[in-house]
Amino acid sequence: MKFKDMPYKRVEMDEVRREYQQLMDEMKRAKSGEEQFEVHKKYYALSNRVSTQMTLAHIRFDVDLTDEFYAAEHEYYDKIEPEMQNLTQEYQKLLYSSPYRAYLEEKIGKVAFKNMELSMKAFDEKLIPLMQEENELKTKYNKLIATAKIEWEGEELNLSLMRPYLSHADREVRKKAWEKYSAYFESVEDQLDTIYDQLVKNRTEQARQMGYKNYVELGYYRMTRNSYGQEEVEKFRSQIKKYFVPLAEKLHDRRRQRLGLEKLSYIDEQVYFADGNPAPNMDPEGILKAGQQMYAEMSKETKEFFDFMMENELFDVLGRKTKRAGGYMTYLPDYNAPFIFANFNGTSGDLDVITHECGHAFQGYISGKDPIQEHRDITMETAEIHSMSMEFFADKWMELFFQDRAEDYRTMHGEDGVIFIPYGCMVDEFQHIVYENPDMTPQERKEAWSRLEKVYKPHLDYGDNKYFGNGGFWQKQQHIFNYPFYYIDYVLAQTCAYMYKIWMSENREAAWESYLKLCRLSASRFYDEMLKEVGLEVPYEEGCIQRMAEKLEVLLEV
């Protein structure tokens, strides 16, 4: 069914409560594991229906933040979402403590039960008022970012539509663009400081009410870290500082030489070639059409997936002034339909939507066919492998999008991921500092960010930009406000994606078979077990990052 034709009906809490209570009563009366699993199938149907309707409302609000009907629905779901989470948890408690658990573990897997355990550690009904307040604060931040208005050459642009100018080939143009871009953030700096301060205190109070010292432990449970913890993440970041920061700095210097500059400025951070970054030389319809050809040639599985996406109009990619910033893939379970939301802006980032977000969507399409719904509940460090690896598998077809600049794109893409890895670790370490010290002032947070920049990006020079120079850059990173502790998942996944890139250079067919197996395994295995089963290393294990850095120096000819 086409997205526009999917019917929407508000999820009424009274009705859902009754249905959940009925399921729980049936679960208690069941006399065997087989009977309980039949009840659990009814839970799948209820959960899918609720998720589909909430996701429809979410998407339709994001595509037009001025739509009054879906704005009201969004506000409604901000309030009931914690209640919905409570109902789910009450049901899962029965499943978790079932006398027939051995049978149920055989059916839905041990990972599912570990995730239930973490969910119970992450939520309690008493947190609902605080979680509702947290949702309101996040919405306030997102509106502030989405409704930015920047005067540019006689018209008003939002932050997404400014991006082509931030990486413009003309250095004076991008200097002016960055000044206007940062001036907007500076104009709302006090509001951003206030919102974030309230979020930190809110999340800290949630943690304390759950009996935790601070939000870090609760944040890890909320990210469903079922295979590793803070100690492994710290070891991983240490390896990145030792082996990847020097590699990234070499790539920055090579980029400086290509740009013909004596010194890199912050305005040059997103620019890779003196004549500008390669960009798709086609309109959005052309990009989607080329994407369809690429996926048709890649494999029979990807052809089926992309044809389904196009036929059912499951993309909203045009940048508009009233549209939420950013991009994502989400999933409509009643239709086994991934949906891709993005803001095309005429840069190479448009192509990333067709590779990165489609990597997410492809895995969602594949795993959606698994009758065991818990297998779809992938954690983010795994989910991002699907997307970031697809970017590298797609490199072979870049001539379709960039013509004679395809090799420039491949060069940029190969370097960009390495350069991202230290930044991603910096975002993660910053959040650990913030939540371990929740009483820091806004100025102290900015000073902490500035200190980390010197460790992870020693070349960085903000010149006379006081807002960024004083540690304000992190306020544009939406994950810091919306998804605490998510960012390290990108970094772990990017390292796995580079493993696939290295593997492709040796045996592309074997690498693709491994990737397909990874998509099919989804959440049926624990993270470290799954990586080893498909032939990948575990990023935080000792020696992994050093080996990767050495191989990438050769592959990228540093």
Side-chain angles (χ1 to χ4, degrees):
M1 182 182 289
K2 288 180 168 48
F3 177 74
K4 66 183 179 184
D5 297 325
M6 292 178 186
Y8 170 72
K9 181 185 177 186
R10 175 182 274 199
V11 175
E12 297 292 350
M13 276 307 298
D14 289 343
E15 179 184 341
V16 173
R17 282 191 202 97
R18 284 194 299 272
E19 292 185 73
Y20 263 95
Q21 191 57 55
Q22 184 177 335
L23 281 177
M24 288 188 277
D25 290 342
E26 288 185 42
M27 185 65 76
K28 291 172 186 174
R29 290 195 301 267
K31 303 297 185 188
S32 67
E34 288 85 352
E35 284 185 29
Q36 284 197 332
F37 186 64
E38 289 306 310
V39 176
H40 194 53
K41 288 180 184 176
K42 295 179 184 179
Y43 162 77
Y44 287 164
L46 171 59
S47 174
N48 285 345
R49 190 182 82 239
V50 168
S51 175
T52 298
Q53 294 308 311
M54 290 177 71
T55 303
L56 281 171
H58 172 75
I59 296 168
R60 287 171 180 165
F61 172 66
D62 283 353
V63 300
D64 183 4
L65 298 176
T66 64
D67 185 307
E68 292 183 3
F69 175 80
Y70 283 109
E73 297 303 283
H74 186 78
E75 188 175 339
Y76 168 73
Y77 289 124
D78 272 354
K79 288 177 180 161
I80 73 157
E81 192 173 17
E83 295 181 56
M84 200 73 71
Q85 188 173 339
N86 184 50
L87 282 172
T88 301
Q89 184 160 292
E90 288 303 307
Y91 170 80
Q92 288 182 342
K93 283 178 182 175
L94 291 176
L95 206 63
Y96 188 80
S97 59
S98 167
Y100 312 111
R101 176 161 162 176
Y103 176 85
L104 294 171
E105 273 194 7
E106 273 189 36
K107 297 297 287 186
I108 68 176
K110 290 185 177 182
V111 177
F113 281 91
K114 180 63 176 178
N115 290 349
M116 287 178 215
E117 178 188 324
L118 297 180
S119 176
M120 285 184 268
K121 290 180 177 180
F123 177 81
D124 189 278
E125 189 175 5
K126 64 189 175 188
L127 298 184
I128 287 176
L130 282 168
M131 294 176 74
Q132 290 172 331
E133 178 186 79
E134 181 187 10
N135 283 341
E136 289 169 6
L137 288 166
K138 290 191 293 186
T139 297
K140 190 174 181 181
Y141 169 76
N142 289 325
K143 281 186 177 178
L144 201 58
I145 297 301
T147 57
K149 293 179 180 178
I150 299 174
E151 186 280 322
W152 183 262
E153 305 298 325
E155 62 176 327
E156 281 187 344
L157 300 182
N158 62 19
L159 297 175
S160 292
L161 297 176
M162 282 294 294
R163 284 180 188 161
Y165 305 105
L166 298 175
S167 57
H168 199 279
D170 187 322
R171 204 161 186 249
E172 287 305 310
V173 171
R174 65 177 182 265
K175 183 175 187 294
K176 180 182 174 184
W178 273 107
E179 286 171 351
K180 285 183 172 286
Y181 188 85
S182 62
Y184 172 74
F185 280 93
E186 190 171 7
S187 73
V188 295
E189 181 179 11
D190 289 345
Q191 294 178 67
L192 294 172
D193 280 336
T194 299
I195 291 170
Y196 192 61
D197 196 61
Q198 290 172 338
L199 280 167
V200 170
K201 288 177 169 51
N202 173 293
R203 289 164 177 156
T204 299
E205 180 58 26
Q206 289 187 50
R208 286 174 179 163
Q209 287 197 21
M210 292 291 285
Y212 306 128
K213 181 181 177 183
N214 56 45
Y215 184 75
V216 177
E217 190 174 0
L218 178 57
Y220 271 56
Y221 290 145
R222 292 219 167 136
M223 288 303 299
T224 322
R225 299 264 154 83
N226 58 28
S227 303
Y228 60 94
Q230 192 173 347
E231 183 181 344
E232 286 80 9
V233 170
E234 287 174 0
K235 287 179 181 176
F236 176 73
R237 290 198 310 255
S238 294
Q239 290 186 73
I240 295 301
K241 289 174 188 173
K242 188 172 181 180
Y243 300 110
F244 255 68
V245 169
L247 175 58
E249 289 300 300
K250 288 180 184 178
L251 293 174
H252 280 300
D253 194 61
R254 185 162 79 179
R255 190 168 58 84
R256 176 193 63 77
Q257 294 174 48
R258 279 202 303 265
L259 294 174
L261 299 173
E262 289 186 13
K263 187 177 183 180
L264 289 171
S265 162
Y266 77 101
I267 68 170
D268 308 311
E269 283 296 282
Q270 299 176 16
V271 184
Y272 285 81
F273 298 93
D275 57 347
N277 294 342
N281 188 23
M282 57 187 70
D283 61 18
E285 289 75 17
I287 292 174
L288 290 171
K289 185 177 179 181
Q292 193 160 20
Q293 180 182 340
M294 175 178 75
Y295 284 114
E297 295 174 5
M298 190 178 290
S299 75
K300 66 180 188 299
E301 293 89 353
T302 52
K303 180 183 188 308
E304 177 189 315
F305 147 73
F306 203 85
D307 287 351
F308 174 84
M309 296 288 290
M310 292 292 283
E311 181 183 338
N312 292 288
E313 299 174 4
L314 294 165
F315 292 94
D316 190 307
V317 297
L318 295 178
R320 295 186 296 276
K321 293 179 181 179
T322 61
K323 191 175 180 181
R324 178 178 169 169
Y328 57 78
M329 185 286 291
T330 189
Y331 186 73
L332 297 152
D334 273 353
Y335 304 100
N336 187 23
F339 184 92
I340 290 177
F341 172 95
N343 283 270
F344 276 10
N345 53 35
T347 69
S348 62
D350 296 352
L351 188 276
D352 297 338
V353 173
I354 300 302
T355 57
H356 181 99
E357 298 303 343
C358 280
H360 284 308
F362 175 64
Q363 186 276 333
Y365 182 75
I366 292 287
S367 66
K369 297 177 180 181
D370 190 325
I372 304 302
Q373 188 170 301
E374 285 81 5
H375 292 174
R376 305 177 202 167
D377 297 334
I378 47 174
T379 43
M380 290 302 103
E381 75 286 309
T382 301
E384 297 300 344
I385 302 175
H386 308 135
S387 55
M388 291 174 161
S389 300
M390 182 62 85
E391 293 178 34
F392 288 133
F393 281 110
D395 267 356
K396 180 179 174 181
W397 285 271
M398 288 305 100
E399 276 76 10
L400 289 175
F401 303 92
F402 296 100
Q403 292 81 46
D404 60 351
R405 296 208 66 190
E407 198 54 41
D408 283 349
Y409 174 80
R410 283 188 275 264
T411 296
M412 177 177 74
H413 186 217
E415 293 181 3
D416 187 61
V418 173
I419 287 168
F420 164 77
I421 284 173
Y423 173 77
C425 284
M426 178 170 69
V427 170
D428 182 70
E429 188 167 343
F430 174 71
Q431 292 183 90
H432 280 81
I433 292 169
V434 166
Y435 287 106
E436 286 168 2
N437 302 277
D439 295 322
M440 292 173 84
T441 65
Q443 183 55 36
E444 286 171 334
R445 290 181 192 125
K446 288 168 189 162
E447 289 167 1
W449 179 264
S450 289
R451 287 194 299 272
L452 290 172
E453 284 181 324
K454 290 178 177 61
V455 173
Y456 285 102
K457 301 187 77 172
H459 71 281
L460 193 57
D461 178 16
Y462 287 121
D464 59 0
N465 189 305
K466 291 182 180 178
Y467 173 71
F468 287 154
N470 289 333
F473 189 88
W474 64 270
Q475 292 189 324
K476 67 178 282 298
Q477 187 61 63
Q478 295 182 45
H479 296 74
I480 292 176
F481 286 79
N482 290 324
Y483 312 110
F485 300 112
Y486 186 159
Y487 226 64
I488 197 67
D489 298 81
Y490 285 119
V491 186
L492 290 166
Q494 185 72 76
T495 59
C496 290
Y498 274 113
M499 292 179 207
Y500 274 126
K501 182 175 177 63
I502 293 164
W503 196 349
M504 271 184 266
S505 69
E506 299 162 351
N507 187 334
R508 184 184 178 88
E509 186 177 339
W512 177 252
E513 287 305 313
S514 165
Y515 176 78
L516 264 184
K517 184 176 182 180
L518 183 78
C519 290
R520 288 178 176 134
L521 283 174
S522 296
S524 63
R525 304 283 193 282
F526 287 105
Y527 174 68
D528 48 357
E529 296 173 351
M530 177 176 55
L531 292 184
K532 290 172 181 176
E533 188 169 334
V534 301
L536 299 178
E537 289 192 71
V538 180
Y540 49 74
E541 289 188 352
E542 195 64 40
C544 174
I545 297 305
Q546 181 179 3
R547 286 189 291 275
M548 278 192 60
E550 290 169 353
K551 289 181 180 180
L552 284 172
E553 282 209 5
V554 174
L555 191 64
L556 300 176
E557 300 177 343
V558 182

